[in-house]
Amino acid sequence: MGRDELCIAVPSLFRCPISLDLMKSPVSLCTGVTYDRSSIQHWLDSGHDTCPATMQVLSSKDFVPNLTLHRLINLWASKAPTKSPALAPAVSEEKVRVWIEEIKSGKIEMCLDSIVEFVSCGEVSRRFLVSFDDFLEAIVGVLNTNCDQIRVLESVIRVLSSILLENGVREKLHKLVFISNSNCLPSFISVLRNGSLEYSIACVTVLESITMNNQSKQFVAGTQDVLPVLVQLLKTENDHQDLNEAVMSFLISVSITRSIKTRLAQLGLVGALSNMLLSQNAAVSVVEKSLKVLSIICTCADGRSAISVDPICAGAIVERLMKVSKTATEDAVVVLWSMCCLFRDEKAQEKVARSNGVAKVLLVMQSEVGEGNVRMMCGDLIKVLSLGCKNGGGHGGMVSYETKTTHIMPC
């Protein structure tokens, strides 16, 4: 595909600022700018210490996967035409006006397929469509009418996910869904419950993108059926990595109050996360998000209680230490420290010790992760777990420490 064709077909946000090609693995620098992994890695390996787009000197050369953008690129790619996208089909301003009137008059099925085809043709088509101020209002209105036709709802979600990244769309959708007395959430829930996997992912992605402030996050999380249906998806669709990643990204975003965290714990989220931590098939990104969610919900009493009584959670966290990114390892240490040291949960202490916890925590402590607060938390964990062993508590962890890792001593 030539460069000119690419510029027409691919949204600018999806193109790497260095190569100008569609990003396959988007990662973000500390400056907040996202690049394709191979391009920025080559830039850094060449001896540069600046951000190519801003020319800021980098305080850190680490980069993190931009998982939300990766999902959006995958969604866009799955809908992009397989043939040369050269030019969108000719659609006049008058034709779009007809579509809007048909949508408003309840005849959306007459034009829906044409709209879906049009937004799938490329960036030019999407920009043309969203330039009509009342198009978004009309399409969101379909979600607000208690429509029970899942095909229609799926197609509307597809359109919204396709145009989501166009200038100003997220902000307009936020106002329409959360400020204009809209009642769209039942339609989102219907798609999550009854739609196909592809549209469930798109649905979660759209919801996360438009919950842009604390008020909207509390509104979504407080709606009776949103959190239950999302947790149920994690329990029943645990082999679908993209869906799991999308759901957990959303849960991380909305878990801003104690009541939300408590409800997630009461819905059985800890059990679903524990299974993901133990799964050999789970993607690293899914495991890391699981640890992030656990670090969030362990800040409430119900969350700690759920972790305490879960038969595999504490051991699964220990098992993942040093097998994930630095940030995720820190999240794991936070959970273990909160359970074992801050709140002195004896069940958690025993499970961590029996999972060779002392040796694993020592390894973290002596790695580059074990700095600052993480180092102090690791030191506290070793003291508590060692004391528990001396008092007849966790056997397995301390036996392993004394017989296999006596050469590793805390500083």
Side-chain angles (χ1 to χ4, degrees):
M1 180 183 293
R3 180 62 51 83
D4 291 339
E5 286 182 324
L6 187 63
C7 291
I8 293 175
V10 180
S12 58
L13 190 61
F14 293 173
R15 297 200 301 268
C16 174
I18 297 175
S19 68
L20 299 182
D21 291 330
L22 177 68
M23 288 186 280
K24 297 179 180 178
S25 180
V27 295
S28 298
L29 290 178
C30 60
T31 57
V33 182
T34 299
Y35 302 90
D36 192 52
R37 183 186 294 270
S38 61
S39 297
I40 193 61
Q41 189 66 65
H42 178 73
W43 170 269
L44 296 175
D45 290 345
S46 300
H48 297 95
D49 62 354
T50 57
C51 173
T54 66
M55 296 311 294
Q56 291 177 256
V57 176
L58 299 172
S59 59
S60 169
K61 292 187 177 182
D62 293 337
F63 46 72
V64 295
N66 191 326
L67 301 176
T68 298
L69 184 58
H70 196 188
R71 287 201 308 276
L72 290 170
I73 291 174
N74 287 340
L75 284 170
W76 172 84
S78 70
K79 303 175 184 68
T82 55
K83 299 180 181 180
S84 175
L87 294 173
V91 173
S92 65
E93 180 176 337
E94 181 181 356
K95 183 63 175 179
V96 175
R97 292 292 180 194
V98 171
W99 286 348
I100 293 173
E101 289 305 314
E102 288 177 341
I103 295 171
K104 289 182 177 180
S105 62
K107 301 175 182 177
I108 187 171
E109 289 189 84
M110 295 177 62
C111 60
L112 192 56
D113 290 341
S114 297
I115 295 174
V116 170
E117 179 184 1
F118 187 63
V119 298
S120 299
C121 289
E123 185 178 4
V124 173
S125 300
R126 292 189 287 272
R127 285 183 177 176
F128 179 67
L129 197 58
V130 301
S131 67
F132 293 81
D133 292 335
D134 48 352
F135 172 75
L136 273 179
E137 183 179 352
I139 203 77
V140 170
V142 178
L143 301 177
N144 198 29
T145 58
N146 296 318
C147 175
D148 58 0
Q149 298 183 56
I150 193 65
R151 189 191 77 84
V152 171
L153 294 179
E154 285 183 335
S155 296
V156 170
I157 293 298
R158 178 170 180 173
V159 171
L160 293 180
S161 67
S162 297
I163 64 177
L164 193 59
L165 296 180
E166 300 304 325
N167 288 339
V169 169
R170 289 177 62 222
E171 292 77 9
K172 291 178 182 177
L173 284 176
H174 171 82
K175 292 179 180 178
L176 288 169
V177 173
F178 299 115
I179 299 177
S180 303
N181 298 314
S182 188
N183 185 35
C184 299
L185 288 185
S187 293
F188 281 99
I189 294 169
S190 180
V191 174
L192 290 171
R193 281 180 171 161
N194 306 308
S196 64
L197 178 64
E198 174 191 356
Y199 293 107
S200 294
I201 296 171
C203 193
V204 177
T205 301
V206 172
L207 270 178
E208 181 185 353
S209 297
I210 65 175
T211 49
M212 301 174 64
N213 56 30
N214 288 349
Q215 184 177 3
S216 58
K217 290 176 182 179
Q218 291 182 61
F219 177 75
V220 172
T223 300
Q224 184 175 1
D225 292 329
V226 172
L227 295 185
V229 74
L230 291 176
V231 173
Q232 187 61 30
L233 283 173
L234 290 180
K235 291 178 179 179
T236 58
E237 303 289 347
N238 52 23
D239 289 333
H240 297 290
Q241 306 297 335
D242 289 341
L243 177 62
N244 292 337
E245 194 173 314
V247 171
M248 284 192 285
S249 178
F250 176 81
L251 294 181
I252 291 169
S253 174
V254 301
S255 298
I256 59 173
T257 66
R258 187 173 300 275
S259 61
I260 295 172
K261 300 170 192 175
T262 297
R263 191 161 185 232
L264 287 173
Q266 293 172 345
L267 289 169
L269 179 60
V270 169
L273 298 178
S274 299
N275 289 331
M276 289 182 192
L277 291 178
L278 282 183
S279 173
Q280 297 299 316
N281 299 322
V284 173
S285 57
V286 170
V287 170
E288 293 182 347
K289 284 189 178 294
S290 298
L291 292 170
K292 172 60 70 176
V293 176
L294 286 170
S295 73
I296 292 172
I297 66 175
C298 79
T299 59
C300 72
D302 284 84
R304 294 190 295 274
S305 177
I307 295 172
S308 176
V309 300
D310 189 276
I312 62 175
C313 187
I317 294 172
V318 172
E319 178 62 26
R320 290 293 181 173
L321 286 174
M322 299 299 294
K323 296 181 180 179
V324 290
S325 67
K326 179 178 179 180
T327 300
T329 298
E330 291 174 355
D331 289 330
V333 171
V334 166
V335 178
L336 297 177
W337 181 82
S338 297
M339 298 297 298
C340 297
C341 302
L342 185 60
F343 295 98
R344 300 281 176 165
D345 187 282
E346 293 182 358
K347 291 180 181 178
Q349 291 174 0
E350 181 177 359
K351 291 168 186 173
V352 171
R354 288 186 180 278
S355 301
N356 201 23
V358 173
K360 292 289 186 67
V361 172
L362 275 169
L363 288 173
V364 174
M365 193 175 185
Q366 295 198 339
S367 72
E368 63 177 10
V369 180
E371 301 173 349
N373 290 334
V374 174
R375 185 178 181 82
M376 289 188 288
M377 287 188 283
C378 287
D380 290 345
L381 278 165
I382 291 169
K383 292 176 185 177
V384 167
L385 295 174
S386 299
L387 179 62
C389 177
K390 292 177 182 178
N391 293 335
H395 308 291
M398 199 58 195
V399 169
S400 175
Y401 168 54
E402 291 180 339
T403 60
K404 298 181 181 179
T405 59
T406 51
H407 63 289
I408 304 176
M409 297 298 293
C411 300

